[in-house]
Amino acid sequence: MEQYFVDTTIDQDSYILDDKEQFHHIITVLRHQLGDVIYLVDNNTNLFEATLANVVGKTAIFDVKKSDIATTELPIKVTIACALSKKDKVEWITQKSTELGATDIVFFNSQYSVMTWKGNVVDRKLERLQEIAKNAAQQSKRRMIPKVSYLNKFADLTKLDADCKLLAYEESVKNGETSALDRSLTNEIKSVIGVFGSEGGVSPDEVNLLQDAGYTSVGLGPRILRAETAPMYLLSVLSYNYELRMNEE
Amino acid sequence: MEQYFVDTTIDQDSYILDDKEQFHHIITVLRHQLGDVIYLVDNNTNLFEATLANVVGKTAIFDVKKSDIATTELPIKVTIACALSKKDKVEWITQKSTELGATDIVFFNSQYSVMTWKGNVVDRKLERLQEIAKNAAQQSKRRMIPKVSYLNKFADLTKLDADCKLLAYEESVKNGETSALDRSLTNEIKSVIGVFGSEGGVSPDEVNLLQDAGYTSVGLGPRILRAETAPMYLLSVLSYNYELRMNEE
């Protein structure tokens, strides 16, 4: 059963859907009939079972009922911050990070970045990535759409706050560092930020800046992961640790 | 420093490289000079520091010295078995599974597969995927190249053996199953096989067949992961569990 995000609070037992794109998809493309049921998620992250009750012009009227299906959101907030890379990688990171439960996705400009976004394209790029995040969130049955943003100044990363601040650092791998990640993932933390360099890594100055801001350098296993693979590793481990392991205790 | 696989055993202090493609890459493309050092991995998974000593015609002669850098291979053997899907997904699964440490990558034909490979294209497809695995293994500094294979008959999956046999099953997610994966990953296991359906999942008959063969259905967190994302989740968790967590004990 497919799911759509609506950007309003559903607080009555009926909902009038008039978003053009959603209407087109539900009624014209998927040809839903009266009585068909879909999911709607409102801007309070609540999930509703919605039964198509009527179609009037270009609006669809649904009978809605709050669902008691458990949330699909990670119990901790996760910000994935990646150095800017090529278009397909950036899009791919956005899609996969959304599937795997990130709350925020940040792309940043760094000394070793292979590219930069000029001021005049940032809005257009972010709009496209936000659309990818929305589609991935719907498909993976998330209750929220991660926010995608861009930091032109590397130092602004230090303004992002989290209980646990991690820097995925290739040198840690080379030095055989193997336990910092696990030591960092305690039961107490409620939010994590992971910073990932581009293929070229982060510069020594940038590493120092982050360490001064309370970041811990962690290795993600002994193999050299590509820039787009490392965030998936972290998100998978966070899900395992906080959604599957913790459950048993 | 880049790394190349050679399909022979290095047992002397010099190595004559005459593979055309590798020679072209090392000497013509990267323009390595006498004295430059690269890594070679032989067919015993040993890593060697190789110093370019001479170039004679289309062969490069290296002085080699066994390296004492710790292995980058997972301490357990992991087979990733995925239902066949579109070309780009299959290639992507091969590349990422290699980076993340899989030992074997198997694609299989299943009832709900969106496609099949006809007999006459299998060899060509596998050759291409094997090349992708080789490149990813070199880039991620693996000590071996995962073997890529294809099973036309779903039932042949039951012939693959492992200490721990897992079926990533979407219904487990929907039923709120959250602890089977962690319970399965004990300290004792030396090999894991993970079976992943295509977007449509696996059929009830196929699930029964695998369960009869000793497979455990596991959920990989509450979000619906795409067919290509689920294997990455498992591999990341295996690395965390057996390379990072175990290390502390």
Side-chain angles (χ1 to χ4, degrees), chain A residues 40 165 208 210 227:
Chain A
L40 298 176
K165 300 178 185 178
N208 289 339
L210 292 181

Side-chain angles (χ1 to χ4, degrees), chain B residues 171-195:
Chain B
E171 294 305 314
S172 296
V173 178
K174 289 185 187 152
N175 297 336
E177 191 291 301
T178 54
S179 65
L181 177 62
D182 192 43
R183 273 186 282 109
S184 301
L185 302 184
T186 62
N187 291 1
E188 287 70 37
I189 60 173
K190 295 286 171 226
S191 55
V192 173
I193 176 167
V195 171

Side-chain angles (χ1 to χ4, degrees), chain B residues 3-249:
Chain B
Q3 170 186 314
Y4 301 88
F5 288 97
V6 301
D7 55 2
T8 177
T9 303
I10 299 180
D11 51 8
Q12 303 203 301
D13 55 7
S14 115
Y15 176 75
I16 299 170
L17 182 141
D18 58 2
D19 178 279
K20 272 182 197 151
E21 204 179 307
Q22 288 177 341
F23 180 90
H24 176 74
H25 195 249
I26 296 166
I27 304 299
T28 315
V29 178
L30 296 177
R31 297 167 184 267
H32 275 300
Q33 306 295 318
L34 302 191
D36 282 1
V37 180
I38 62 171
Y39 286 128
L40 298 176
V41 175
D42 77 355
N43 61 7
N44 282 335
T45 74
N46 285 319
L47 178 73
F48 294 86
E49 265 188 29
T51 310
L52 186 59
N54 209 349
V55 175
V56 182
K58 292 282 179 194
T59 61
I61 297 144
F62 290 91
D63 294 334
V64 292
K65 203 183 102 197
K66 192 154 180 267
S67 163
D68 54 6
I69 296 177
T71 183
T72 54
E73 291 299 320
L74 268 167
I76 53 172
K77 283 181 58 140
V78 184
T79 301
I80 293 296
C82 297
L84 207 53
S85 50
K86 285 185 220 153
K87 179 166 173 268
D88 57 340
K89 292 210 172 189
V90 167
E91 293 188 356
W92 191 87
I93 289 169
T94 302
Q95 184 192 69
K96 293 290 170 248
S97 297
T98 301
E99 268 180 75
L100 289 163
T103 328
D104 289 275
I105 302 165
V106 179
F107 293 101
F108 61 81
N109 193 7
S110 85
Q111 230 171 305
Y112 293 172
S113 276
V114 289
M115 52 191 308
T116 182
W117 283 349
K118 291 194 176 167
N120 55 348
V121 304
V122 172
D123 286 352
R124 190 161 46 78
K125 297 272 189 190
L126 288 178
E127 198 179 316
R128 161 107 179 119
L129 294 177
Q130 199 61 62
E131 186 66 21
I132 288 171
K134 181 183 176 182
N135 290 334
Q138 283 177 171
Q139 178 156 7
S140 58
K141 302 281 193 280
R142 295 277 306 263
R143 297 293 171 89
M144 58 161 290
I145 307 168
K147 188 169 177 329
V148 188
S149 56
Y150 176 65
L151 294 181
N152 190 45
K153 250 180 79 188
F154 183 88
D156 286 347
L157 274 177
T158 62
K159 296 182 189 160
L160 302 178
D161 200 30
D163 298 340
C164 173
K165 299 178 186 179
L166 306 173
L167 167 62
Y169 193 37
E170 208 174 282
E171 294 305 314
S172 296
V173 178
K174 289 185 187 152
N175 297 336
E177 191 291 301
T178 54
S179 65
L181 177 62
D182 192 43
R183 273 186 282 109
S184 301
L185 302 184
T186 62
N187 291 1
E188 287 70 37
I189 60 173
K190 295 286 171 226
S191 55
V192 173
I193 176 167
V195 171
F196 302 87
S198 57
E199 305 294 344
V202 277
S203 77
D205 284 353
E206 292 170 337
V207 172
N208 289 339
L209 194 71
L210 292 180
Q211 281 175 344
D212 289 347
Y215 275 77
T216 304
S217 298
V218 296
L220 304 176
R223 290 162 299 284
I224 306 297
L225 302 180
R226 284 177 196 242
E228 75 274 17
T229 312
M232 310 308 114
Y233 184 112
L234 179 64
L235 282 163
S236 302
V237 164
L238 291 173
S239 163
Y240 174 62
N241 215 47
Y242 294 102
E243 295 183 315
L244 307 188
R245 280 180 67 205
M246 296 292 175
N247 245 294
E248 282 178 85
E249 286 157 21

Side-chain angles (χ1 to χ4, degrees), chain A residues 6-25:
Chain A
V6 301
D7 55 2
T8 177
T9 302
I10 298 180
D11 52 8
Q12 303 202 302
D13 53 9
S14 116
Y15 176 75
I16 299 170
L17 182 142
D18 58 2
D19 179 278
K20 273 183 198 152
E21 206 180 304
Q22 289 177 341
F23 181 90
H24 176 74
H25 195 249

